[in-house]
Amino acid sequence: MRTFLDYYQRKIQPQIEEIDLFLKTEEPPYNSDIVAELLDIPYEEWEQLLREEKISFITRGIFFQLMKRGSSPLCGMFRRAVELGLPVEYTAETAAYIFGLELPAVREAARTSGRKTFTEEMLPQLFSKIFIDEIRYPL
């Protein structure tokens, strides 16, 4: 059985690194197709988002605006983190909400870690104790 850490390291972390590199090396306006691919947003959804937001070119600010609206797992995590004010420390409740995890599993992982809060750097310690459904979190 896999842990959320496995999923995060194989699926989410590489996507974050790709986005970070893209934003550091590319100049706006960004290529729409590349942004949709980076955010893992299906073509039909992407086209609808652009129409609804009346977007003809993508700047850095628009990039994050679209990221908050996308349906991909990373977009959902980003949207929920922004809703909570981009926390510096995570409780079991905030980690479960942001990362879309079952609260009882996150609470148990926190309990076995002996901690009530986790910094960003400590999240792998928490994630390594959360076992996930491979159907819901495919690699």
Side-chain angles (χ1 to χ4, degrees), residues 51-68:
R51 278 193 306 277
E52 287 174 5
E53 297 287 327
K54 297 178 175 67
I55 293 173
S56 55
F57 62 93
I58 302 171
T59 63
R60 189 178 185 90
I62 299 292
F63 181 99
F64 290 108
Q65 179 182 332
L66 292 166
M67 190 172 180
K68 285 194 286 187

Side-chain angles (χ1 to χ4, degrees), residues 3-69:
T3 67
F4 187 70
L5 181 60
D6 297 327
Y7 173 78
Y8 189 85
Q9 288 177 329
R10 290 190 183 147
K11 180 80 171 153
I12 302 301
Q13 203 165 19
Q15 193 176 1
I16 291 169
E17 289 168 1
E18 264 189 282
I19 289 169
D20 185 50
L21 181 63
F22 176 82
L23 293 174
K24 287 178 178 173
T25 59
E26 297 297 320
E27 291 293 323
Y30 303 126
N31 179 297
S32 177
D33 293 336
I34 293 172
V35 173
E37 186 177 321
L38 285 169
L39 297 179
D40 197 21
I41 298 175
Y43 177 78
E44 296 79 21
E45 177 187 346
W46 182 251
E47 290 297 313
Q48 183 178 345
L49 275 174
L50 295 178
R51 278 193 306 277
E52 287 174 5
E53 297 287 327
K54 297 178 175 67
I55 293 173
S56 55
F57 62 93
I58 302 171
T59 63
R60 189 178 185 90
I62 299 292
F63 181 99
F64 290 108
Q65 179 182 332
L66 292 166
M67 190 172 180
K68 285 194 286 187
R69 300 247 352 250

